């Protein structure tokens, strides 16, 4: 029985090793991109820790100070070694504090925004941007807060204020966003501000030719995103406004809701498509999103209050 037990243990170990290697390769692929011919690599873990150097330095300084107090109670023969240890601790504290105090300024163009997940069951959301500052070689992603992530878009010119060694972001300045290609009507049922909140990104309005009479269609996409025949890569928000009950039922059928009738109250959801009665017509929202975040589309749809 003992040889059989060893065979089982070895087999289970091999399976665990293979699974671990595959998972690491998958995670590594997610942390790498090629954008406009430039290789981008993103870091591990939570990423955004803007005051990590400050807290590390303060913790080491506190620890070194407490150890120094112990010198008063140590035998004389132990004091040289203790003084050496305290000096090393305080020097390390100074190293981290100086890293936080100093600032490197980097300017460049945002090539890509990316969300990565970490922690148990991928419960931690980490926000990153890749900034091309004109230097050759591989680009290292910069961890940012959710608020800063929502402010920028690919193609934006930004100025980053970073700690020199840890490369943690202290402050992000937006110098220029890509210019919008289309004028924005003032009577849209979904405003650019609402779409920007749903997509967690600055947005650009793109009109789309209607395929049902008495309707209006348009997209919201991050500035500079190419749109061809009403389609685009995610993230994007597709909006259809229908102005009478007949048009409302036609767009509902096209959205896959053949049993829906104008006047039905509440939000009818089918996957990433949301349908609701809106005055005499209807409103259809379709989120075209990637792994970044699809929850914003649903929050927008369920938070709307159509007129009676």
């Amino acid at each position: 029985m003992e040889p059989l037990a060893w065979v089982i243990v070895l087999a289970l170990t091999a399976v665990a090793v293979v699974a671990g290697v595959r998972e690491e390769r998958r995670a590594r692929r997610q942390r790498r991109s090629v954008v406009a011919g430039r290789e981008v690599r993103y870091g591990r873990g939570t990423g955004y820790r803007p005051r990590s150097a400050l807290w590390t330095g303060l913790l080491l300084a506190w620890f070194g100070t407490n150890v120094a107090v112990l010198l008063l109670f140590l035998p004389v023969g132990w004091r040289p070694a203790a003084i050496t240890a305290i000096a090393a601790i305080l020097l390390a504290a100074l190293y981290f504090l100086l890293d936080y105090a100093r600032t490197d300024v980097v300017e460049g163009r945002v090539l890509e925004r990316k969300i990565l997940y970490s922690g148990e069951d991928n419960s931690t959301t980490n926000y990153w941007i890749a900034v091309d500052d004109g230097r050759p070689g591989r680009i290292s992603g910069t961890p940012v807060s959710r608020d800063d992530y929502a402010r920028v878009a690919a193609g934006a010119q930004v100025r980053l204020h970073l700690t020199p060694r840890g490369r943690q972001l202290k402050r992000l300045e937006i110098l220029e966003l890509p210019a919008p290609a289309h004028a924005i009507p003032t009577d849209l049922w979904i405003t650019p501000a609402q779409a920007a909140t749903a997509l967690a990104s600055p947005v650009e309005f793109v009109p789309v030719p209607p395929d049902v009479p008495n309707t209006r269609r348009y997209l919201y996409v991050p500035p500079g995103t190419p749109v061809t025949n009403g389609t685009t890569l995610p993230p994007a928000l597709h909006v259809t406004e229908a102005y009478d009950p007949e048009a409302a039922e036609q767009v509902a059928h096209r959205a896959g809701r053949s049993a829906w009738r104008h006047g039905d109250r509440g939000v009818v959801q089918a996957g990433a498509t949301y349908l609701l009665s809106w005055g005499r017509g209807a409103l259809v929202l379709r989120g075209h999103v990637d792994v970044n975040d699809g929850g914003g589309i649903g929050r927008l749809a369920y938070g709307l209050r159509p007129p009676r």
Side-chain angles (χ1 to χ4, degrees):
M1 291 297 294
E2 185 173 338
L4 179 60
W6 277 108
V7 169
I8 294 174
V9 169
L10 291 175
L12 292 176
T13 302
V15 170
V17 169
V18 170
V21 169
R22 287 179 177 175
E23 178 63 23
E24 175 59 26
R25 287 179 176 175
R26 184 188 66 83
R28 186 177 299 178
R29 285 194 299 270
Q30 289 183 342
R31 295 195 302 269
R32 296 182 179 180
S33 298
V34 176
V35 184
R38 301 296 304 277
E39 181 185 2
V40 182
R41 291 192 182 182
Y42 299 93
R44 297 171 176 267
T46 56
Y48 182 66
R49 300 184 300 274
R51 295 181 178 83
S52 59
L54 174 63
W55 294 122
T56 302
L58 292 176
L59 178 62
L60 288 172
W62 173 84
F63 182 70
T65 302
N66 280 273
V67 174
V69 172
L70 293 177
L71 281 177
L72 301 175
F73 305 98
L74 289 177
V76 175
W78 287 34
R79 290 187 179 178
I83 291 174
T84 302
I86 292 170
I89 293 172
L90 293 180
L91 284 174
L94 182 63
Y95 174 88
F96 284 102
L97 291 174
L98 287 177
D99 185 41
Y100 182 77
R102 296 168 54 206
T103 301
D104 280 353
V105 179
V106 174
E107 292 187 13
R109 181 171 64 93
V110 177
L111 292 181
E112 181 184 48
R113 304 187 318 155
K114 198 176 188 71
I115 291 181
L116 299 175
Y117 298 93
S118 63
E120 187 175 354
D121 298 326
N122 290 329
S123 57
T124 302
T125 305
N126 311 301
Y127 301 90
W128 297 79
I129 60 174
V131 177
D132 181 5
D133 59 1
R135 290 182 292 185
R138 186 179 63 209
I139 296 174
S140 296
T142 301
V144 298
S145 67
R146 177 181 173 85
D147 290 341
D148 282 335
Y149 179 88
R151 294 169 57 212
V152 301
Q157 290 291 129
V158 297
R159 180 182 294 128
L160 306 179
H161 298 257
L162 305 166
T163 57
R165 286 182 287 270
R167 310 307 289 175
Q168 287 291 326
L169 181 67
K170 293 183 176 181
R171 185 160 57 96
L172 183 149
E173 298 178 67
I174 298 178
L175 305 178
E176 183 182 5
L177 287 173
H182 305 278
I184 302 177
T186 58
D187 60 343
L188 297 173
W189 289 359
I190 301 298
T191 67
Q194 291 172 317
T197 300
L199 294 178
S201 168
V203 295
E204 177 180 354
F205 166 83
V206 180
V208 178
D211 53 1
V212 173
N214 209 18
T215 63
R216 175 168 62 180
R217 297 171 63 207
Y218 50 93
L219 299 178
Y220 284 114
V221 295
T225 303
V227 178
T228 304
N229 297 326
T231 62
T232 183
L233 295 174
L237 174 62
H238 299 245
V239 183
T240 302
E241 303 172 357
Y243 301 128
D244 60 40
E246 181 180 352
E249 293 186 12
Q250 287 191 56
V251 298
H253 295 168
R254 288 176 178 267
R257 307 301 298 177
S258 57
W260 184 87
R261 293 292 179 269
H262 174 260
D264 291 351
R265 293 302 174 184
V267 178
V268 178
Q269 179 182 359
T273 300
Y274 301 85
L275 170 67
L276 63 158
S277 296
W278 195 269
R280 283 179 45 80
L283 179 66
V284 179
L285 302 177
R286 180 165 59 87
H288 188 196
V289 296
D290 53 14
V291 295
N292 284 350
D293 186 7
I297 309 296
R299 288 190 292 270
L300 171 61
Y302 286 100
L304 291 172
R305 293 293 180 267
R308 295 184 180 277

